[in-house]
Amino acid sequence: MIKKIKVGFYVYNKHYPNVDLRFPEQGNPGIGGSEFTELATAYYLNKLYSEKIEVLVIANIIDLLPPSLNVYHADNIVDAAEKSERQGCDIFVFRTVLWTEELYQKLGQLNIKAIARSTNYFNIHALNQITDCSKIKGHVCTGQEQLDILRDHKLFNKSIRIFDPFNIEHFVPKHEILKQGNTVVFIGSLVFSKGFHVLARVWSDIIKEKPEAKLIVIGSGKLYDRNQKLGKWGIAEESYEANYIRPFLSDENGKLIESVHFAGLLGMEKIEILQNADVGVVNPTGATEVCPASALEIQACGTPVVSVAKLGLLDTVVHQKTGLLGKSDKDLTKNILYLLNNPQVAKQFGENGINFVRENFDYQFIVKQWLELLIDIYNDKPPQPQPMKQNYFYNAKFLVEGLRIIKKYIPLLRNFPALFEIAMYASWLKKLR
């Protein structure tokens, strides 16, 4: 009998004490995408490959998790790593953003291999420690653009791209949707890094050209933390509301204008809204986006996406096929209005989007990649990263790849900083000045 590989997934859910996470097939019930997909990955591995993989979930809160999973409590990531070893796990999986100095020390003492999963862009210090940690045998980038940035960094030798898993079943419309030609929906956390303020400041330009346009906002400042205190309108933290939302969406009496509705945090009920919308907007700044689930949700519902041509949006939206990606506020306004005024184009983009999500992000395909990675790591075989995307001039990829090749053949240069590190150092110096 072939031994099952035993894997411990750390699910950081301390900020969601009352959210029902028992049914991942139904989609994200209204928590952060990174948090949801770490649970979904473990869940689908257990569901599809239980004869090969024994999955443990180590979480801060063990109530309201899928009953099919073996679940253990941990106070923090170090406790989770220790629990994984104690339960006989071969591999411990965790999110890079949770990396701590204490974990670095602890992994050195434990008899367990580890995989770091990056769902956000990088902290340089943490990245270098993960590179140097001998117990970390694999590093999963959840976006191809993210992986390509790493090509001239030493961590690239441990890295592979595996998109987040997505179950399209409940999102695809069961019958043809007769759209109204006037509804825009934004989905995401209402914090600065998710860019709602960009859409807010151009909304007056949109309704000037199309007075019947309506905006529905799915999300809240509480998406990542249910204890977050909100501002006067009850939608986001007060300083964000006061400086970036209310100045653009208030009427003369200081109340929310009629064309905008804040729907709050939604679970399955968001699907009907996304299906009926004419245009979906995802983080117009692109900041922090690696594999934005909101873009996949919108497209899976047969609705085109409008956003910015940056980072993870380049992986999850196909420009002029499943949506429109621009570079500026002016592009955002123009692209939204174009799709509102051209329903046949929007319909075709929506149909393309369903096929795109199904072909590239289906959970069965993604989880099979995880299975293959876990088998490789168990057998001490390093991950094999995907080839670079062919948008060679974006983020100076041609230069990144050139530096990777030079470092490969000139060992003395291997400790030279990666191009993205140099750019970050330059940015910090500019801010200090």
Side-chain angles (χ1 to χ4, degrees):
M1 182 176 177
I2 299 174
K3 178 188 180 298
K4 289 185 182 180
I5 301 172
K6 199 168 186 177
V7 185
F9 282 83
Y10 178 47
V11 173
Y12 181 76
N13 64 346
K14 67 184 296 181
H15 296 304
Y16 311 112
N18 302 309
V19 177
D20 191 343
L21 295 167
R22 291 175 297 168
F23 311 106
E25 296 102 329
Q26 296 181 5
N28 188 333
I31 67 173
S34 298
E35 291 82 353
F36 175 71
T37 53
E38 66 189 355
L39 175 64
T41 300
Y43 173 80
Y44 288 124
L45 266 171
N46 181 69
K47 179 178 179 179
L48 298 178
Y49 297 109
S50 60
E51 77 284 0
K52 297 180 179 180
I53 304 288
E54 184 177 349
V55 174
L56 276 65
V57 166
I58 302 99
N60 311 121
I61 298 169
I62 60 175
D63 300 324
L64 300 176
L65 294 179
S68 60
L69 291 172
N70 292 323
V71 178
Y72 295 84
H73 170 265
D75 291 323
N76 53 53
I77 192 169
V78 175
D79 188 21
E82 291 177 322
K83 285 261 174 62
S84 293
E85 186 199 45
R86 202 175 306 144
Q87 294 300 324
C89 288
D90 302 294
I91 301 171
F92 174 59
V93 182
F94 67 95
R95 279 194 293 137
T96 305
V97 73
L98 303 174
W99 180 259
T100 65
E101 294 282 342
E102 190 178 358
L103 179 62
Y104 180 61
Q105 300 298 327
K106 180 58 65 176
L107 284 176
Q109 302 165 11
L110 297 178
N111 184 28
I112 193 170
K113 298 173 183 177
I115 296 174
R117 175 173 169 263
S118 288
T119 59
N120 296 91
Y121 278 86
F122 311 114
N123 172 293
I124 290 178
H125 178 65
L127 205 66
N128 288 327
Q129 283 198 327
I130 289 169
T131 303
D132 294 337
C133 182
S134 62
K135 295 298 178 66
I136 297 179
K137 304 298 184 180
H139 171 244
V140 173
C141 292
T142 53
Q144 184 65 39
E145 294 297 339
Q146 183 190 49
L147 176 65
D148 287 351
I149 286 173
L150 275 181
R151 296 188 73 84
D152 64 331
H153 191 281
K154 288 186 292 183
L155 186 55
F156 185 69
N157 295 323
K158 294 183 181 181
S159 298
I160 190 172
R161 186 266 296 147
I162 304 179
F163 289 127
D164 286 333
F166 188 84
N167 191 331
I168 198 171
E169 178 184 357
H170 292 285
F171 289 84
V172 179
K174 300 297 188 290
H175 52 81
E176 186 173 359
I177 304 292
L178 298 176
K179 305 202 179 195
Q180 302 302 309
N182 61 4
T183 304
V184 178
V185 63
F186 174 93
I187 181 168
S189 180
L190 298 185
V191 295
F192 188 84
S193 63
K194 296 302 178 180
F196 173 70
H197 54 279
V198 178
L199 178 57
R201 73 183 178 220
V202 304
W203 186 247
S204 61
D205 296 326
I206 291 170
I207 57 176
K208 188 183 299 180
E209 294 292 324
K210 198 170 183 69
E212 68 273 25
K214 299 182 183 302
L215 172 61
I216 299 173
V217 182
I218 300 173
S220 164
K222 288 191 172 187
L223 181 68
Y224 298 125
D225 185 352
R226 294 299 195 263
N227 295 317
Q228 174 66 53
K229 186 178 179 181
L230 302 182
K232 184 169 71 174
W233 280 3
I235 58 172
E237 186 270 329
E238 172 59 23
S239 64
Y240 187 53
E241 271 193 27
N243 295 303
Y244 296 99
I245 298 177
R246 296 202 296 264
F248 304 107
L249 300 181
S250 297
D251 62 18
E252 61 275 10
N253 298 314
K255 295 183 178 180
L256 180 66
I257 56 177
E258 289 186 5
S259 62
V260 179
H261 170 64
F262 286 92
L265 294 172
L266 301 178
M268 288 275 298
E269 58 269 35
K270 70 188 167 191
I271 293 175
E272 184 176 359
I273 296 173
L274 296 177
Q275 289 175 343
N276 286 302
D278 298 279
V279 179
V281 178
V282 177
N283 192 347
T285 70
T288 77
E289 300 298 347
V290 178
C291 184
S294 49
L296 303 182
E297 289 177 335
I298 292 167
Q299 291 170 105
C301 287
T303 299
V305 170
V306 170
S307 190
V308 65
K310 287 184 180 179
L311 303 176
L313 279 309
L314 295 171
D315 288 331
T316 53
V317 181
V318 184
H319 180 55
Q320 294 185 335
K321 184 175 181 182
T322 71
L324 295 173
L325 302 176
K327 297 181 179 179
S328 63
D329 286 15
K330 185 177 180 181
D331 286 344
L332 181 66
T333 303
K334 179 184 69 175
N335 289 337
I336 290 172
L337 287 170
Y338 176 79
L339 290 173
L340 291 179
N341 292 325
N342 292 273
Q344 288 305 119
V345 175
K347 181 180 179 181
Q348 185 60 60
F349 281 8
E351 293 172 359
N352 295 343
I354 292 172
N355 294 327
F356 171 68
V357 173
R358 182 179 282 123
E359 291 169 5
N360 294 278
F361 299 91
D362 181 78
Y363 73 95
Q364 297 182 65
F365 170 64
I366 300 300
V367 171
K368 184 179 179 184
Q369 292 182 318
W370 266 98
L371 172 68
E372 292 168 353
L373 173 65
L374 291 168
I375 292 172
D376 283 348
I377 296 300
Y378 179 76
N379 291 312
D380 295 316
K381 181 180 177 182
Q384 297 300 309
Q386 291 80 0
M388 187 172 67
K389 281 172 68 176
Q390 294 182 3
N391 53 343
Y392 301 120
F393 293 98
Y394 178 68
N395 276 340
K397 287 186 185 183
F398 67 96
L399 183 55
V400 172
E401 180 64 0
L403 288 171
R404 183 187 72 82
I405 294 170
I406 291 171
K407 290 178 180 181
K408 181 179 178 179
Y409 292 104
I410 305 179
L412 288 175
L413 296 178
R414 286 176 188 169
N415 290 323
F416 190 76
L419 190 61
F420 81 89
E421 291 180 284
I422 296 170
M424 291 180 76
Y425 291 140
S427 175
W428 293 339
L429 286 172
K430 185 177 180 181
K431 286 178 182 178
L432 286 173
R433 289 174 182 171

